[in-house]
Amino acid sequence: MAIERLVLGAILLNEENYWSVSDVLSIDCFGSDDHQKIFAVMTELASDGRAIRVPLVSGRLGALKDGQDPDAYISGLLHYASKEDSIPLADYAYDLRDAATRRRVLALAEGMIKSVKDPRLDAQAIVDRAGERIADISRSAAIEYESTVSETIKQILKKSSPSAKKGIALRPCLSGLEEMVGFFAPSSLVLWGGGPGAAKTAVAMQQLLFTSEEEPASLFELEMDNTSLVARSIASDTGVSARDIMRGMTEDQYARMAQASESFASRRLRIVHQAKVTMQQIRSRAIAHKRKHGLRLLVVDHLKLIERPSKTRIDPVERAYENARDLKTLAKDLDCVVIALCQFTKSARQKEVPEPEMEDFYGGSLEEHADVMLANFNRHDWLMRNPPRTNQSKAKLDWESQCSQSAGRIEVYKLKDRFGASRDRRIFHWEGKTTRFSDLITHQDRFDLLDEGREFA
């Protein structure tokens, strides 16, 4: 309570003090109802562009608790603050915010204890509700900062100095991707879509393994179990496929997997593999990863599977839209790259022109939230599912030629990029057995037929 009086008194002594703590403090940071009312009046005056003067504050206060006189109470705050030679205002502001967070956590804990003792309540529902409330408290505890251009430049210099030996953004895992998108910027949301068999999870896992050699990364895998996922992702390193693991490994394969366990021990990658997870749970776990291990890249597989708390059934398009919006917010809050994998709708996969477009991402409604939109296209798979309707030699020969060219390749289309050209395409070698992408050198200035290429040396 003493710190609250000092902070309020310091602002009344000099209104410049308000602006030095306004990005840290909010009304609920004060534990006293009277102090909340006083700070609310100060905030109202500042918002109206008026000076925070003692007569204006006391005149707007009205009645205080226990019938205290507003003028006398304001005078007391001024006297209390004036006795201090120096008030560490910034430190006190953080102390008040910390105390407010503790009060919220305490109230939550007391409520949980009361709920746990009620046998009529479902235990899992209690846990889920607590997770949502913790996420709310975490968001409230976060501090919103304003910054000048000069301060922002200083932050850039600090993050990308020559001594840091790394830039602000993340490098893509393939040279072709780097040519196409340049970089993955912090606080950005990358939507990566495609139909079944387009290897979205595989390329995301390859990016995660690449990034985690140097930077902390996390994966929320909602579709596959982690055993199959990891086995597939390291097959090119071990020579042991997921099928071999499921059927039983030989002694040599077992030894290679054991060796891989040691070589991958230094990768800074954490995998969360829950069948059902809400956005609040993703947020809470991601914040925990950020605080404990650091976090530069977060991947969610995939967007539509994230649960939304609702008593009514939510339309899939609305669910995807809300999830994309929340993931963009999370990317900004954590200052990390978020890649969300998206399964194209059935209608998008059945269209006559197969190349990906923005509209394939749930009708294009997600575009406003995305900084970058990428889409995988397995042309060979599409051709095999759509043979020519006639066996006339020309149509048959063209189809066979395209099937031959597209075998073992995946096309990646860039449909949106806030940081560069909006439209591009690259073709990559795709080894399905080891789920591995590799680069091609190609002439890719057209979007119609595949161009021949050769591997990088």
Side-chain angles (χ1 to χ4, degrees):
M1 195 68 71
I3 293 179
E4 293 184 14
R5 290 199 293 268
L6 283 171
V7 169
L8 293 174
I11 295 174
L12 290 167
L13 287 171
N14 184 357
E15 70 173 319
E16 290 298 320
N17 287 330
Y18 173 84
W19 298 109
S20 68
V21 297
S22 61
D23 58 348
V24 177
L25 292 179
S26 57
I27 294 172
D28 57 1
C29 288
F30 295 87
S32 162
D33 292 340
D34 289 342
H35 293 167
Q36 287 186 1
K37 185 179 290 189
I38 293 170
F39 190 77
V41 170
M42 292 176 172
T43 302
E44 182 183 350
L45 289 170
S47 300
D48 292 342
R50 305 189 66 180
I52 302 176
R53 296 285 187 263
V54 171
L56 291 175
V57 174
S58 59
R60 292 194 179 195
L61 271 182
L64 294 178
K65 195 174 181 180
D66 300 328
Q68 298 182 84
D69 178 63
D71 292 330
Y73 196 83
I74 292 295
S75 297
L77 293 176
L78 286 167
H79 178 70
Y80 192 75
S82 63
K83 291 193 301 181
E84 298 291 325
D85 294 331
S86 176
I87 299 175
L89 202 60
D91 292 341
Y92 283 172
Y94 283 106
D95 288 344
L96 290 181
R97 195 174 188 94
D98 181 72
T101 301
R102 291 176 183 274
R103 287 195 297 271
R104 297 189 195 102
V105 174
L106 179 61
L108 172 61
E110 292 173 346
M112 286 182 65
I113 292 172
K114 185 177 180 180
S115 299
V116 167
K117 292 180 179 179
D118 189 343
R120 296 171 298 175
L121 299 178
D122 179 70
Q124 187 58 49
I126 295 173
V127 172
D128 290 342
R129 177 57 181 161
E132 294 172 9
R133 289 288 296 117
I134 284 291
D136 291 339
I137 292 172
S138 178
R139 281 192 292 271
S140 299
I143 298 170
E144 298 180 2
Y145 293 98
E146 292 182 1
S147 180
T148 64
V149 174
S150 176
E151 289 169 346
T152 303
I153 292 174
K154 289 177 182 178
Q155 293 171 13
I156 293 171
L157 292 173
K158 182 178 180 181
K159 292 179 179 179
S160 59
S161 64
S163 60
K165 297 182 179 179
K166 60 183 179 181
I168 297 174
L170 294 181
R171 283 190 59 198
C173 61
L174 296 162
S175 296
L177 283 175
E178 192 166 11
E179 291 172 5
M180 186 163 59
V181 301
F183 52 83
F184 293 128
S187 301
S188 64
L189 172 63
V190 180
L191 295 181
W192 206 320
K200 303 179 297 297
T201 302
V203 72
M205 193 66 186
Q206 194 164 329
Q207 180 66 51
L208 282 163
L209 290 173
F210 176 82
T211 299
S212 62
E213 290 186 35
E214 302 288 341
E215 304 282 2
S218 296
L219 166 66
F220 285 80
E221 178 53 57
L222 313 183
E223 194 170 32
M224 296 178 62
D225 69 279
N226 64 318
T227 301
S228 301
L229 175 70
V230 172
R232 289 192 343 168
S233 302
I234 65 171
S236 60
D237 298 273
T238 62
V240 183
S241 67
R243 180 175 296 182
D244 291 334
I245 292 174
M246 299 305 171
R247 292 187 303 187
M249 293 183 287
T250 65
E251 290 186 6
D252 178 61
Q253 289 173 329
Y254 183 87
R256 277 181 276 163
M257 288 295 292
Q259 185 178 2
S261 176
E262 296 297 326
S263 63
F264 280 90
S266 61
R267 300 295 175 102
R268 303 174 66 184
L269 173 60
R270 311 190 73 79
I271 302 174
V272 180
H273 48 95
Q274 290 179 236
K276 289 186 177 182
V277 64
T278 65
M279 182 57 68
Q280 289 83 358
Q281 290 171 326
I282 289 177
R283 183 181 181 88
S284 298
R285 187 71 66 90
I287 290 172
H289 286 189
K290 175 81 171 183
R291 290 174 177 168
K292 189 173 182 180
H293 311 287
L295 189 59
R296 292 292 306 281
L297 172 63
L298 172 66
V299 175
V300 179
D301 183 19
H302 60 83
L303 189 68
K304 195 174 70 172
L305 295 181
I306 303 173
E307 298 282 332
R308 303 294 304 187
S310 175
K311 295 181 180 179
T312 59
R313 191 174 185 275
I314 301 178
D315 178 78
V317 175
E318 182 183 355
R319 175 186 293 195
Y321 179 89
E322 296 293 335
N323 287 340
R325 182 192 62 186
D326 289 346
L327 286 176
K328 173 59 182 176
T329 301
L330 184 60
K332 293 184 68 175
D333 290 346
L334 297 181
D335 191 31
C336 73
V337 178
V338 173
I339 297 177
L341 305 186
C342 309
Q343 187 82 276
F344 283 171
T345 60
K346 190 173 182 180
S347 59
R349 303 196 297 267
Q350 293 175 342
K351 63 183 184 177
E352 188 172 338
V353 179
E355 284 78 7
E357 298 290 347
M358 276 191 191
E359 289 71 25
D360 299 336
F361 288 80
Y362 300 97
S365 62
L366 311 186
E367 184 270 335
E368 65 181 87
H369 301 307
D371 297 285
V372 177
M373 295 179 76
L374 301 173
N376 288 7
F377 177 45
N378 189 335
R379 190 179 295 270
H380 182 76
D381 178 69
W382 182 85
L383 288 167
M384 295 302 292
R385 288 186 288 104
N386 294 274
R389 296 178 181 178
T390 175
N391 285 326
Q392 293 180 359
S393 58
K394 180 69 168 63
K396 184 75 170 178
L397 287 174
D398 287 345
W399 178 78
E400 289 176 347
S401 174
Q402 291 191 47
C403 284
S404 176
Q405 290 182 49
S406 61
R409 298 187 181 180
I410 295 285
E411 302 169 49
V412 178
Y413 287 71
K414 183 176 72 169
L415 305 176
K416 177 184 178 180
D417 187 354
R418 292 191 197 275
F419 314 104
S422 60
R423 180 86 175 183
D424 204 349
R425 181 195 70 165
R426 289 293 184 275
I427 306 169
F428 299 92
H429 273 308
W430 166 242
E431 177 60 48
K433 184 177 180 181
T434 59
T435 64
R436 189 74 178 174
F437 283 82
S438 57
D439 283 295
L440 286 172
I441 295 178
T442 60
H443 301 291
Q444 302 185 59
D445 54 348
R446 297 185 305 150
F447 280 81
D448 44 2
L449 297 179
L450 282 163
D451 303 297
E452 286 296 332
R454 57 185 177 84
E455 291 188 48
F456 277 103

